[in-house]
């Protein structure tokens, strides 16, 4: 008789009935303890430039990006009163400005989401981030369970059900500060030679497992390959949530895991089941099944996959690209400091690692905000721009949008415009030449 490994995550009920005493059944995830001081904590809370707050329609605090949400009941009560004031007039508040702060609201009854920021981000960008936070909660509970909970008890304290998963909300809110995926609505793919990627794809697709829906290999937060049904693909935002789950907690690094997971764009009302295993320090295998009983079959499939990958030292290569992404030096283009390129055709993007002046944390954060600013200016609802030029004392950025790509390139502050155009075209030629290694052009299907 085989000695099967034991999954580290027990099964969570996926029935339509809801137990108000149930809680997250995933791995034990410890959130850093929060200070319980009073005035000092409030002063520390107010010093942050950006906040996210989630509350119920009854005004109960559910989660706060900073501080202890249990101490924010008066604050969330005021927010609920403001929202109700507009609702009483058959209106819905979307945003408001108070001094240097911008307040953005997302009302997804029975939950309200609020962003409070003085970061220069636009209303549209903050609203997109609130949608991601909403979908993160749906990924744990499903939309139907969330609705049923509050139908049974309108003043229910949702923290009881989310216990242990706040770390994923924290991780997601943190990722908004450095990950371009959310702004672009696209996936970042690990740079890998086409023959190697195709070989890995064939190995992932090898064999047959009943009820397997998707299988993928991920190098840190970059996709290596994705096996999918021929007529179905995964929405980028669902993959963003999955990646956030992997990076948001180190618990998944310690053992094979089996967890229920709702992918809101795939089906917001039901659970799928995810097998997760790190086969190297920064390399994970994720397989998604429609069956709650598939753990052992997927564990055996993973073991065969690891054996195949190890034969040609592919695992070593994957670990290397995970920790050593490409840089501007690899492009051979002088004067260009950084760039982001999004393929609209494949809904994927690529960008080099931050080097040179952007190896400095302060400069890197500034550049991230500049990318957000230029992106927002070019995607205004009233008029979408095809070209945009931004110049300040530290750098210049050229934005260029066509029917097939979006390009944002960064140069030093004294770079002439003709040189920027010349080097941008040079970059486009390099990307075209490297296209098969920078993007997944054909996912393996079954």
């Amino acid at each position: 008789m085989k000695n099967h490994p034991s999954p580290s995550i027990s099964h969570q009920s996926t029935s339509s009935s809801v137990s108000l005493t149930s809680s997250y059944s995933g791995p034990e995830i410890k959130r850093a303890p929060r200070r319980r001081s009073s005035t000092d904590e409030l002063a520390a809370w107010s010093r942050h430039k950006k906040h996210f707050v989630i509350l119920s329609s009854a005004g109960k605090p559910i989660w706060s990006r900073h501080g202890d949400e249990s101490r924010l009941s008066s604050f969330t009560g005021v927010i609920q009163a403001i929202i109700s004031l507009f609702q009483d007039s058959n209106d819905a508040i979307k945003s408001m400005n108070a001094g240097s702060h911008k307040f953005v609201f997302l009302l997804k009854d029975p939950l309200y989401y609020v962003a409070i920021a003085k970061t220069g981000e636009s209303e549209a960008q903050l609203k997109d981030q609130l949608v991601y936070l909403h979908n993160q909660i749906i990924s744990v509970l499903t939309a139907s369970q969330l609705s049923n909970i509050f139908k049974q008890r309108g003043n229910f304290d949702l923290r009881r059900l989310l216990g242990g998963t706040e770390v994923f909300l924290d991780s997601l809110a943190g990722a908004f500060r450095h990950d371009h995926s959310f702004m672009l609505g696209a996936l970042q793919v690990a740079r890998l030679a086409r023959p190697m990627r195709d070989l890995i794809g064939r190995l992932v697709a090898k064999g047959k497992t009943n009820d397997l829906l998707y299988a993928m290999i991920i190098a840190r937060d970059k996709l290596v390959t994705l096996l999918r049904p021929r007529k179905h693909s995964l929405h980028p935002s669902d993959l963003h949530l999955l990646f956030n789950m992997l990076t948001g907690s180190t618990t998944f690094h310690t053992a094979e895991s089996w967890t229920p997971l709702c992918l809101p764009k795939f089906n917001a009302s039901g659970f799928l089941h995810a097998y997760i295993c790190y086969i190297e320090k920064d390399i994970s295998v994720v397989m998604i099944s429609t069956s709650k009983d598939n753990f052992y079959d997927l564990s055996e499939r993973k073991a065969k996959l690891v054996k195949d990958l190890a034969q040609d030292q592919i695992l070593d290569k994957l670990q290397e690209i995970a920790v050593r992404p490409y840089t501007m030096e690899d492009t051979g283009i002088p004067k260009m400091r950084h760039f982001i390129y999004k393929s609209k055709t494949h809904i994927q993007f690529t960008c080099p690692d931050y080097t040179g002046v952007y190896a400095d944390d302060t400069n890197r954060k500034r550049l991230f905000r500049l990318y957000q600013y230029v992106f927002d200016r070019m995607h205004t609802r009233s008029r979408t721009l095809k070209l945009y030029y931004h110049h300040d004392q530290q750098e210049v950025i050229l934005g260029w949008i066509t029917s097939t790509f979006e390009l944002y390139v960064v140069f030093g502050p004294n770079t002439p415009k003709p040189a920027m155009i010349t080097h941008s075209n040079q970059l486009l030629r390099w990307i075209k030449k490297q296209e098969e290694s920078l993007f997944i052009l054909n996912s393996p299907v079954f």
Side-chain angles (χ1 to χ4, degrees):
M1 183 176 180
K2 292 183 179 180
N3 292 320
H4 289 298
S6 298
S8 67
I9 302 182
S10 59
H11 171 62
Q12 176 176 305
S13 171
T14 59
S15 64
S16 58
S17 60
V18 180
S19 170
L20 298 186
T21 59
S22 63
S23 62
Y24 173 69
S25 61
E28 182 181 355
I29 300 170
K30 295 182 179 180
R31 193 185 192 190
R34 288 175 163 169
R35 293 184 177 180
R36 296 292 177 176
S37 56
S38 52
T39 55
D40 290 343
E41 184 178 1
L42 182 60
W45 188 84
S46 63
R47 282 196 292 269
H48 290 284
K49 291 184 177 182
K50 186 176 181 180
H51 297 273
F52 293 109
V53 178
I54 304 175
L55 62 150
S56 71
S57 55
K60 282 186 173 292
I62 293 171
W63 173 81
S64 171
R65 175 64 180 101
H66 301 291
D68 185 346
E69 63 275 349
S70 65
R71 294 178 176 270
L72 297 177
S73 56
S74 298
F75 180 73
T76 56
V78 172
I79 291 177
Q80 193 271 341
I82 294 172
I83 293 171
S84 296
L85 182 66
F86 282 82
Q87 289 175 333
D88 290 342
S89 303
N90 294 318
D91 199 356
I93 186 170
K94 295 182 179 179
S95 68
M96 67 180 188
N97 294 317
S100 59
H101 288 83
K102 185 187 297 291
F103 289 69
V104 178
F105 300 80
L106 177 68
L107 311 183
K108 292 282 188 179
D109 199 57
L111 301 183
Y112 298 154
Y113 302 79
V114 186
I116 309 161
K118 55 177 180 179
T119 56
E121 293 166 280
S122 69
E123 177 184 340
Q125 289 171 336
L126 292 171
K127 183 178 179 180
D128 287 344
Q129 294 169 17
L130 293 177
V131 171
Y132 269 104
L133 292 175
H134 172 69
N135 286 338
Q136 177 62 54
I137 288 182
I138 296 301
S139 74
V140 175
L141 297 176
T142 78
S144 57
Q145 284 198 4
L146 182 63
S147 177
N148 289 337
I149 288 167
F150 283 93
K151 281 182 181 179
Q152 293 179 39
R153 193 184 302 173
N155 64 345
F156 179 72
D157 187 351
L158 194 63
R159 289 176 295 177
R160 292 162 56 186
L161 280 180
L162 294 177
T165 67
E166 303 97 329
V167 65
F168 299 129
L169 291 168
D170 290 340
S171 173
L172 190 60
F176 295 151
R177 298 182 302 170
H178 61 78
D179 191 339
H180 300 294
S181 304
F182 307 102
M183 176 184 75
L184 297 169
L187 291 173
Q188 188 170 14
V189 173
R191 187 187 180 199
L192 189 65
R194 174 72 179 270
M196 178 73 75
R197 197 188 306 276
D198 288 346
L199 173 59
I200 295 171
R202 288 194 296 271
L203 295 177
V204 171
K206 188 177 177 181
K208 182 179 180 181
T209 304
N210 292 333
D211 303 313
L212 178 65
L213 194 58
Y214 299 101
M216 65 197 80
I217 294 180
I218 301 162
R220 288 199 171 174
D221 56 352
K222 298 180 180 66
L223 188 63
V224 174
T225 190
L226 169 66
L227 174 67
R228 61 178 179 83
R230 189 173 299 276
K231 295 184 179 180
H232 293 280
S233 59
L234 268 177
H235 195 281
S237 66
D238 282 343
L239 281 168
H240 293 159
L241 293 177
L242 179 60
F243 290 3
N244 178 65
M245 187 172 71
L246 296 175
T247 58
S249 170
T250 58
T251 305
F252 291 110
H253 292 251
T254 59
E256 295 177 280
S257 300
W258 183 240
T259 183
L261 173 70
C262 174
L263 299 176
K265 292 293 185 180
F266 180 83
N267 178 12
S269 298
F271 280 112
L272 298 171
H273 301 270
Y275 170 89
I276 301 169
C277 182
Y278 272 80
I279 57 178
E280 280 288 339
K281 181 181 178 183
D282 298 295
I283 309 300
S284 59
V285 172
V286 179
M287 291 180 276
I288 298 175
S289 173
T290 57
S291 170
K292 68 181 187 299
D293 303 316
N294 242 12
F295 171 79
Y296 295 115
D297 289 341
L298 295 178
S299 178
E300 290 181 3
R301 185 183 179 113
K302 180 270 306 180
K304 294 175 182 176
L305 173 62
V306 171
K307 184 178 179 180
D308 290 338
L309 291 173
Q311 285 181 349
D312 296 318
Q313 297 182 323
I314 297 175
L315 277 179
D316 293 337
K317 176 65 175 177
L318 290 177
Q319 180 61 31
E320 182 182 344
I321 66 168
V323 299
R324 292 188 181 90
Y326 76 94
T327 66
M328 279 304 308
E329 288 186 2
D330 295 311
T331 68
I333 302 174
K335 297 185 179 180
M336 188 179 293
R337 291 182 173 181
H338 198 263
F339 72 87
I340 300 175
Y341 177 95
K342 174 184 175 180
S343 168
K344 290 185 174 182
T345 305
H346 301 104
I347 321 178
Q348 300 167 25
F349 78 97
T350 186
C351 65
D353 196 16
Y354 292 98
T355 56
V357 294
Y358 303 121
D360 175 75
D361 188 56
T362 300
N363 290 335
R364 187 165 60 250
K365 288 179 180 178
R366 186 189 71 251
L367 178 62
F368 185 83
R369 292 293 183 216
L370 281 175
Y371 274 135
Q372 285 185 312
Y373 174 78
V374 173
F375 182 91
D376 184 65
R377 292 300 298 265
M378 297 190 72
H379 290 82
T380 55
R381 293 179 181 177
S382 58
R383 183 182 62 177
T384 300
L385 303 178
K386 294 182 179 180
L387 284 171
Y388 186 83
Y389 175 80
H390 174 83
H391 183 206
D392 60 31
Q393 293 181 347
Q394 284 80 28
E395 55 263 308
V396 292
I397 300 181
L398 176 67
W400 185 2
I401 298 178
T402 72
S403 60
T404 58
F405 69 80
E406 294 186 27
L407 178 64
Y408 306 89
V409 287
V410 184
F411 296 89
N414 298 318
T415 308
K417 289 182 181 178
M420 293 176 64
I421 298 297
T422 298
H423 293 314
S424 295
N425 282 314
Q426 186 180 351
L427 174 64
L428 290 174
R429 289 191 295 270
W430 181 85
I431 290 173
K432 182 63 178 176
K433 185 178 180 180
Q434 299 291 325
E435 184 179 34
E436 292 186 338
S437 66
L438 295 173
F439 304 109
I440 299 176
L441 304 184
N442 294 292
S443 294
V445 297
F446 61 92

